[in-house]
Amino acid sequence: MNFTEQVIHLTNMHGISGDEYAVSEAARALLAPFVDSAEVDPFGNVIGRKSCGGPGAPTLLLDAHLDQVGFMVSGVTDEGFVRFVAISVDPRMLPGSELLVKTKNHGVLPGVVATLPPHLRPAGKKAADSYYDVAAMALDMGLPAEKAKQMIAPGDPVIFAGDTQRLQGDALCGRAMDDRACFACLLQVLELLDGRELGVDLIVLGSTREEVGLQGARDVANRENPDYAIALDVTHGKTPDSGEQVANEVAKGPVIAIGANSNPALANRVAEIARAKQIPYQLAAVGGSSGTNAWAMQTSGLGICTLVLSLPLKYMHSPVELIHTGDAENLARLVAEFIANFEGGAQS
Amino acid sequence: MTELLKQLSALDGVSGYEAEVRDAIRKQIAPHCDALRTDPVGNLIAFKKGAQRRKKPLVVCSHMDEAGFLVKSVTADGLIKMAPVGKIEPQVIVGRQMRVGPKKLPGVISLKAIHLTKPEERKEPPALTGLYVDIGSTSKAQTEALTGVGDPIAFGSGCAELGEGHLKGKALNGRAGCAVMVKMLAQPHPFDTWYVFSAGREIANGVKAAISSIAPGTCLLLDGVHAADLPGVPEEGRASRLGHGPAVVMVDGALTCAAALRQAVTAAADKAGIPWQLCGCEEPASDAGIIRGAGSGVEVFRLGCPTRYIRTAASVINLADLAALYELSMLFCREVNYEN
């Protein structure tokens, strides 16, 4: 599988926060050929180890999270419609959307989020009042009530329907690009480092439950206490409606975050390498939390020097997250060169 | 009929761009028609000879077109701004996959990420003017090499069975009737009957030309009837319900169904054991009013599959309703000899 095929393979799988196990197993299988050992911990975190063989070498953890935003079934109505709760999803994506319910014993079932036509909406009730209230939404399964109740249970994971599509040029679009595209980047990094002499031991982490509080990466960072950690995650790419808040763009190269949560000395070192290797890049000033696993990892263990490197992405937490694979390939090259030329010593 | 409807629903036929749907239907019905033509508006008109003639012709009609969009302009970033075709509410296109132009370029519609919104921005449905289709292009030149102003944009969704005995797909409000009509045309007819697969229903301009050219006495109009049998909707607001047979529309915009005709049809249905229901709410104006005014007096009987989520990427119908719609429509052609 090449990078694009890996992204499609991983993003088409079900794995909302807390239900990543199938994705974890797929990620472990992809990771295993590149590392000395690859295992899945009880929380679904995938942990690969690659030793450089040098005594006393520092340890660098590379993280990308495997979970995706989605929903959980909260109940089945007496008419057989499914009620659900959202987990970090943008509710504006829901009216008229199609979802997939992963049941325990009856496979994956499709459903349609119910909407009312304008002429039948209660008088005086504007679209927004009824349309964006997730608690009031109902998923139409096309099933008789008794069947729906028998097949579907509260807690069943739900994701958006719609597989990943190739768009024009190198654009890829689908759910769960955040952050499985970055896990595929990590695989690329390892492929690029294959056979090269390194001065750092690597821990490659596919972490779980990021979208519900950076949980998996925190656990593993506490356990492993690496010297350094890099969070590879997506960041907002500019769109016509994003205004001044977003400075980075898709198709313009990976983003190097710089600030308290993304060590400035390391960030500058990465930028220097990018210039030396002629890899396009963008900088992002991050004053406080980067919103990535780096935030939790920084103060895990005995304190970890963290760096955030990002893949620009449009429409985050929607069913149509859009990336350009050129950015991902350049991100992988950048991380690989950074590791191959690792100097450490960021805590001056 | 289910397989045919799946095929028809997956085709793209935004009003004014119905050729793909028309060609597929023409291919299906050509062996069974006694005359077949496409009029200048794009309506596909078929004549089926029966054992007898009627005093005034009977027309069975459903529409081929679907609501959608046209490419309005291309931004410097290569994004596609849209002009509406018909009445799709902007909130149901956010997050959807679309197909653009004759090359069927995959594209998506979305909004800036929720992380970047203010609370008030999360309450109001977006305006169409702020939305665009993103085909993954990064420049105007890249997009304009692939598509241009006037290319149609349709939902990119497929048609598939849902749950038990249901079907979900785009454009079902018209295409369900088209599938029924294709099946009807393959059967022998006791009376001469005209079939109109109409264009331009979603922009309320198309069927008039076909009806004028035939000058029928009666028209059986098959068009999906809104169903709102959903949680939280009171009984009186549900319009029609899935699984209770085809819906007879009493009031459709300015048009009211003739009581005598309704009684004749429903009595025949009861006698034949075909389920039917009355649509309990006023339907927004369809082609019914246009057909009513097209000649020198056409009686219109509107019947349709109860349809949830009309003009979204995924409408839902019940397949037993579809089968009963076929039975009742055949019965209409066979037995209802209503003279106005």
Side-chain angles (χ1 to χ4, degrees), chain A residues 129-209:
Chain A
D129 297 335
S130 51
Y131 270 13
Y132 299 145
D133 177 8
V134 178
M137 289 184 190
L139 187 60
D140 183 347
M141 307 301 296
L143 286 170
E146 65 278 13
K147 277 274 175 70
K149 286 187 172 181
Q150 177 215 328
M151 296 166 89
I152 300 161
D156 284 351
V158 181
I159 60 170
F160 284 112
D163 283 349
T164 294
Q165 291 185 301
R166 291 169 201 253
L167 302 185
Q168 295 308 309
D170 67 342
L172 266 186
C173 182
R175 59 207 165 179
M177 290 295 163
D178 171 10
D179 184 34
R180 291 183 204 148
C182 284
F183 187 83
C185 274
L186 290 181
L187 299 172
Q188 287 292 301
V189 169
L190 292 169
E191 198 173 327
L192 291 167
L193 292 176
D194 200 30
R196 288 178 78 167
E197 199 169 308
L198 302 182
V200 60
D201 289 337
L202 298 180
I203 297 172
V204 181
L205 170 62
S207 55
T208 55
R209 307 190 201 182

Side-chain angles (χ1 to χ4, degrees), chain A residues 77 79 81 83 89-93 95-98 110-121 126-128 131-132 138 140-144 147 162-163 165-169 171 173 236 239-242 245-246 251 314-320 322 324, chain B residues 77 79 89 91-92 94-97 105-117 121-126 132 134-138 142 146 157 161-164 166 168 226 228-233 237-239 281-284 308-309 312-314 316:
Chain A
T77 72
E79 293 171 295
F81 288 78
R83 300 283 194 193
V89 177
D90 185 343
R92 299 172 305 164
M93 303 293 147
S97 66
E98 297 176 56
V112 176
V113 175
T115 52
L116 273 177
H119 73 286
L120 294 175
R121 240 172 251 147
K126 289 194 347 196
Y131 270 13
Y132 299 145
D140 183 347
M141 307 301 296
L143 286 170
K147 277 274 175 70
D163 283 349
Q165 291 185 301
R166 291 169 201 253
L167 302 185
Q168 295 308 309
C173 182
H236 299 294
T239 52
D241 53 352
S242 62
Q245 294 180 82
V246 178
K314 293 193 274 189
Y315 323 124
M316 200 186 292
H317 292 194
S318 83
V320 292
L322 194 158
H324 287 258
Chain B
D77 301 332
L79 303 169
E89 292 195 287
Q91 58 265 33
V92 304
V94 173
R96 298 298 83 77
Q97 297 180 350
L105 308 169
V108 296
I109 299 172
S110 195
L111 292 166
K112 68 176 173 185
I114 187 144
H115 319 66
L116 305 171
T117 57
E121 290 178 299
R122 299 197 286 270
K123 285 183 183 148
E124 283 303 311
Y132 53 85
D134 189 337
I135 60 167
S137 154
T138 52
Q142 190 186 358
L146 296 160
S157 49
E161 274 165 66
L162 179 76
E164 260 184 33
H166 291 81
K168 75 93 199 166
H226 285 96
D229 48 342
L230 304 172
V233 179
R238 294 190 160 200
C281 299
E282 182 175 335
E283 274 287 280
R308 294 177 186 151
Y309 330 127
T312 72
V316 174

